[in-house]
Amino acid sequence: MAAAIKLRSRYDNTPGYLEKRHPAGVLLRSQLAVAEFLDEIDDQYAAAGDGGPGVGWLLRFRSDFRAMIQDGLLAAYGLGKCLQTGPTHTPAYAVAIFLLGRCASRSHTLGLSRLDAESTPAVRKHYARALRRVEAWPRLRRLSEDHPDDRFVQAVLENTTRRPFVNRLSRFAQHVDHSHEAEAALVSRMPLWIRDTEWNGKPPKRASWIRIVLERIREWVRGE
């Protein structure tokens, strides 16, 4: 199981450094553990029969998902190798795309842009999400051009375009209350207090992206 990989992100964020830091045996064990995990996903899907495994069948693997994402680049190394050699039409391939997208970042895309992950609509959905997360806009635009009829891919690309700052600022100013503007003092006599706290949070999700997630949940519930 992939959860057996108990290595944490104590290494540099470059694959080249990873290969120099860890012996070939460690990288091979990572690749074999990831391959075994993906094979188990395919076996579970095949055992469900023609009716499919149903909604939520991947929940039993959530601990493995968390372990691989926390392992970071070491798990990403095995995922990348499996994506290069494995079949693209299996459910495990889409899962591997999702996990690699969670391990990657804007500064280290881990080869996401070089993948040819366009075989099925499910794979394209996870691939488009991963490209958007790491902000690989050129590859996302090429994916949109290759599949103009894929509504999900088109929606992901359209939601990456932001309005100009001038328009957003003017829209914000329309909702500002100016009724007490004349009562405000020009110079405040209050002392300035600043609370120095370390910022550990994450930026909020965009409304357009939340809408995409809710539409996906509705598809799962309705079985569409």
Side-chain angles (χ1 to χ4, degrees):
M1 293 293 293
I5 307 176
K6 295 300 182 183
L7 297 176
R8 293 294 176 253
S9 300
R10 298 189 296 267
Y11 27 78
D12 193 286
N13 287 332
T14 56
Y17 182 90
L18 182 65
E19 295 178 356
K20 295 178 182 179
R21 180 69 179 272
H22 295 282
V26 174
L27 300 178
L28 180 60
R29 286 196 298 272
S30 171
Q31 182 179 351
L32 293 176
V34 171
E36 181 182 355
F37 170 66
L38 297 178
D39 289 340
E40 183 176 353
I41 290 180
D42 284 335
D43 293 341
Q44 289 289 331
Y45 188 88
D50 298 334
V55 179
W57 68 284
L58 287 173
L59 290 176
R60 58 171 300 182
F61 300 105
R62 58 185 178 271
S63 60
D64 301 285
F65 286 4
R66 285 194 293 265
M68 295 179 71
I69 294 172
Q70 290 176 357
D71 287 338
L73 288 175
L74 191 57
Y77 180 86
L79 289 169
K81 292 296 184 180
C82 293
L83 288 171
Q84 293 174 5
T85 59
T88 61
H89 60 278
T90 62
Y93 191 86
V95 173
I97 290 288
F98 164 77
L99 291 173
L100 185 61
R102 299 300 299 180
C103 294
S105 63
R106 289 183 297 176
S107 57
H108 303 288
T109 60
L110 303 178
L112 273 173
S113 300
R114 296 191 297 269
L115 292 177
D116 187 18
E118 307 178 22
S119 57
T120 63
V123 170
R124 288 196 296 271
K125 286 182 179 180
H126 291 290
Y127 192 36
R129 290 192 185 104
L131 292 175
R132 184 186 186 278
R133 186 174 183 274
V134 300
E135 298 184 5
W137 309 129
R139 183 65 181 94
L140 184 58
R141 284 192 290 268
R142 291 200 306 269
L143 181 65
S144 175
E145 293 172 358
D146 295 340
H147 301 278
D149 298 332
D150 194 319
R151 295 193 305 170
F152 187 87
V153 175
Q154 302 301 324
V156 170
L157 182 61
E158 291 174 0
N159 291 327
T160 59
T161 304
R162 300 188 65 182
R163 297 189 304 274
F165 176 75
V166 176
N167 297 344
R168 289 184 279 124
L169 182 61
S170 60
R171 182 179 179 182
F172 172 79
Q174 293 176 0
H175 302 280
V176 176
D177 184 11
H178 299 278
S179 59
H180 301 281
E181 185 175 355
E183 303 174 5
L186 297 179
V187 180
S188 176
R189 294 189 296 267
M190 294 293 295
L192 177 62
W193 297 89
I194 299 177
R195 183 179 181 182
D196 187 11
T197 57
E198 183 179 359
W199 175 253
N200 295 323
K202 296 182 179 179
K205 301 294 185 182
R206 298 179 183 175
S208 58
W209 187 247
I210 295 176
R211 188 180 302 109
I212 293 177
V213 174
L214 293 177
E215 290 176 354
R216 182 58 175 165
I217 294 175
R218 183 179 62 183
E219 293 178 2
W220 285 343
V221 173
R222 296 183 177 180
E224 298 177 357

